[in-house]
Amino acid sequence: MKPQVTYLVDTLGLPSWMRKWEEWLAVDFVSILLWIVGAMLLVRCIRWAADKYSQRTVTRFENSDDIVQSEDMKHRRALVDVVAWTLIAIVVVVVGLRLLSSWVTTSSLVGLSAVLGAALGFGAQRIVQDVLAGFFIIAEHQYGYGDVVKLSVSGSDAEGTVEDVTLRATRLRSSDGELITVPNGQMIKSTNLSKDWARAVVDVPVPADADINVVNETLREVGRRFYADPKWHRLLLDEPTPLGVINLELDSLTVRIVARTLPGQQFGVGRALRSEIVFGLWQHGVDATSAEATASDDLAEGSAE
């Protein structure tokens, strides 16, 4: 025998047509509310786990004796963030389909999915391109958190420190403090200036009548003294090496010296090395400031094994 159902609207003396609303609130609405609340809690848990891992990684690095983060550590941070956002997207899609099924039949969702697929194929090609490019950036370890990179985008370059890497875009912090967002699918070329090791390149302009043997010997002496300095020794992988004359002009010539450094440390090392070189040349009677300056503080090269 079917049990007698008692409606609250009958008890309150409300119209009988409100029974359907009471049934919907008592059954479907509660189910929808539980799905939404569950999804929000799951998303919060995923983000909490990802943020907790990032904080633990940063704390472990700050408490260690390492000067720069390892390539494996930077890659893992980027990978964890990508996985977290992927899981969040899956949760949103699953919950969205479940809520749609409350108003639309399952067979109707097949047609809706076909329409959405066509819309993604024709109207969201750029998004799909960005996501695929972001996947290969993460999979190929092109760069990660903390890397200094130069990204070529449609004829212009964006250079800075990587603050965030997702499947859709890369965010850089420039030396001026600007936050640059670059869609992954629009990159033509990416140059990692802090992959495994970096090279500080210093071009020294000297007068054309200067004794080149004295200049080269001074550069070697400065390189040995600079490498022996405890402040800079920990940032250098080997002793700065002069490469000789790289450019000749009527009234000046340019001598180059290079130094391999830890990732991302080439800029500070290059600035300090320039000061030591100017002082060393002055002690030997060579005035490097009398020639036209050709060195640039942004000149640096990176290399990966």
Side-chain angles (χ1 to χ4, degrees):
M1 184 176 180
K2 189 175 181 179
Q4 183 70 27
V5 179
T6 303
Y7 290 92
L8 181 62
V9 295
D10 295 337
T11 305
L12 298 176
L14 298 175
S16 59
W17 59 267
M18 297 186 66
R19 292 179 178 178
K20 293 183 178 180
W21 285 99
E22 183 179 343
E23 291 180 357
W24 182 83
L25 288 173
V27 180
D28 294 340
F29 177 75
V30 173
S31 176
I32 292 172
L33 187 62
L34 290 176
W35 274 91
I36 293 177
V37 173
M40 293 176 62
L41 292 176
L42 187 56
V43 168
R44 290 293 299 270
C45 288
I46 294 173
R47 285 309 315 164
W48 176 85
D51 294 340
K52 194 70 174 178
Y53 177 83
S54 297
Q55 293 175 3
R56 187 177 64 180
T57 302
V58 172
T59 303
R60 185 171 55 190
F61 167 71
E62 292 176 347
N63 294 334
S64 67
D65 297 330
D66 298 333
I67 301 175
V68 296
Q69 297 186 39
S70 65
E71 296 299 325
D72 187 50
M73 181 182 297
K74 291 184 289 188
H75 175 68
R76 285 202 305 267
R77 285 190 62 188
L79 186 61
V80 166
D81 199 54
V82 169
V83 170
W85 281 111
T86 303
L87 292 176
I88 290 174
I90 293 175
V91 170
V92 171
V93 171
V94 171
V95 174
L97 292 176
R98 177 61 183 83
L99 296 182
L100 281 176
S101 64
S102 300
W103 293 282
V104 184
T105 59
T106 306
S107 58
S108 301
L109 290 178
V110 176
L112 180 61
S113 62
V115 173
L116 291 176
L120 289 175
F122 292 100
Q125 296 181 19
R126 182 61 60 84
I127 296 178
V128 175
Q129 182 182 0
D130 293 342
V131 171
L132 289 177
F135 170 79
F136 286 109
I137 288 173
I138 301 299
E140 296 174 358
H141 301 202
Q142 294 183 18
Y143 51 78
Y145 284 92
D147 278 335
V148 180
V149 299
K150 180 187 295 183
L151 306 178
S152 299
V153 184
S154 302
S156 61
D157 292 336
E159 183 173 351
T161 304
V162 177
E163 285 197 351
D164 190 18
V165 183
T166 64
L167 290 178
R168 164 106 167 85
T170 298
R171 293 176 177 84
L172 308 178
R173 180 73 63 177
S174 68
S175 58
D176 297 330
E178 301 171 338
L179 183 62
I180 305 172
T181 301
V182 181
N184 295 328
Q186 297 184 18
M187 295 182 202
I188 301 174
K189 181 179 69 173
S190 65
T191 304
N192 194 332
L193 303 179
S194 57
K195 179 74 170 179
D196 296 332
W197 58 271
R199 177 182 286 127
V201 182
V202 179
D203 290 345
V204 185
V206 297
D209 57 354
D211 189 338
I212 191 61
N213 293 324
V214 174
V215 172
N216 285 331
E217 184 58 34
T218 302
L219 293 180
R220 293 190 186 95
E221 179 184 337
V222 170
R224 288 192 294 267
R225 187 170 63 247
F226 192 80
Y227 186 67
D229 188 343
K231 178 181 178 181
W232 302 108
H233 181 80
R234 63 195 187 100
L235 302 180
L236 295 169
L237 298 180
D238 49 33
E239 188 177 292
T241 305
L243 299 182
V245 179
I246 63 167
N247 189 29
L248 286 173
E249 296 183 3
L250 290 177
D251 56 351
S252 67
L253 52 88
T254 304
V255 183
R256 173 171 292 180
I257 182 171
V258 298
R260 285 203 315 153
T261 71
L262 292 177
Q265 303 298 320
Q266 67 269 33
F267 305 110
V269 169
R271 288 189 291 268
L273 188 56
R274 285 185 181 90
S275 300
E276 294 292 332
I277 289 173
V278 171
F279 181 71
L281 291 175
W282 176 79
Q283 286 182 319
H284 289 80
V286 180
D287 188 4
T289 61
S290 63
E292 182 181 358
T294 59
S296 172
D297 191 47
D298 293 330
L299 181 60
E301 299 173 1
S303 176
E305 295 180 357

